[in-house]
Amino acid sequence: MARHAPLILAIFFALATLICLISALTFFDPHGPFAIIWRVKPAEYSQMLDLGPMLAWGFLALAAVMATAAIGCWRHRLWGWWTAMAIFGVNALADAARLASPTWVEGLTGLVVVAIILGLMTRPGVRARFATA
């Protein structure tokens, strides 16, 4: 696992970048071909549409962060590891906030998954795969 960790993380963040970009497109063009992805959560999409194009720019910024993490992990850079750790840390905080809401089960599930990922990322063998530069 440790040997392939940077590659696995790079692929994960590359896919996250793609998802963020597609999401941004759906808010720039709510009736475009990519809006189909929101059929899974139509109520949430409707609520988010009220935020307008500003939300699309937010998703583009998030895509930039995900792309940065993907590049850093792909190149086995320490800053890529730190970027990934920060992303998962912020995700854990968001999941923890959900514990006080009706979606607490999803929040708890997210916390467990993020805890496992962070635990794996901090193992010495995984951390050692990232250069100090």
Side-chain angles (χ1 to χ4, degrees), residues 1-10 12-13 65-90 114-133:
M1 159 57 187
R3 186 174 139 195
H4 301 292
L7 176 62
I8 292 167
L9 287 167
F12 174 83
F13 287 118
V65 172
M66 297 298 162
T68 300
I71 292 166
C73 290
W74 178 261
R75 293 182 178 172
H76 296 228
R77 297 293 188 248
L78 181 58
W79 58 263
W81 183 84
W82 278 110
T83 304
M85 291 292 290
I87 290 168
F88 287 120
V90 169
V114 169
I116 291 168
I117 292 169
L118 289 173
L120 291 171
M121 286 183 63
T122 55
R123 292 179 64 201
V126 172
R127 173 58 190 80
R129 301 299 297 173
F130 293 87
T132 58

Side-chain angles (χ1 to χ4, degrees), residues 1-2 5-6 15 20 30 36 39 44 53 76-78 86-87 93 98-99 101 114 117 127 133:
M1 159 57 187
L15 290 173
C20 289
I36 194 170
R39 286 193 181 164
E44 288 83 349
H76 296 228
R77 297 293 188 248
L78 181 58
I87 290 168
L93 291 173
R98 294 177 80 176
L99 295 177
S101 76
V114 169
I117 292 169
R127 173 58 190 80

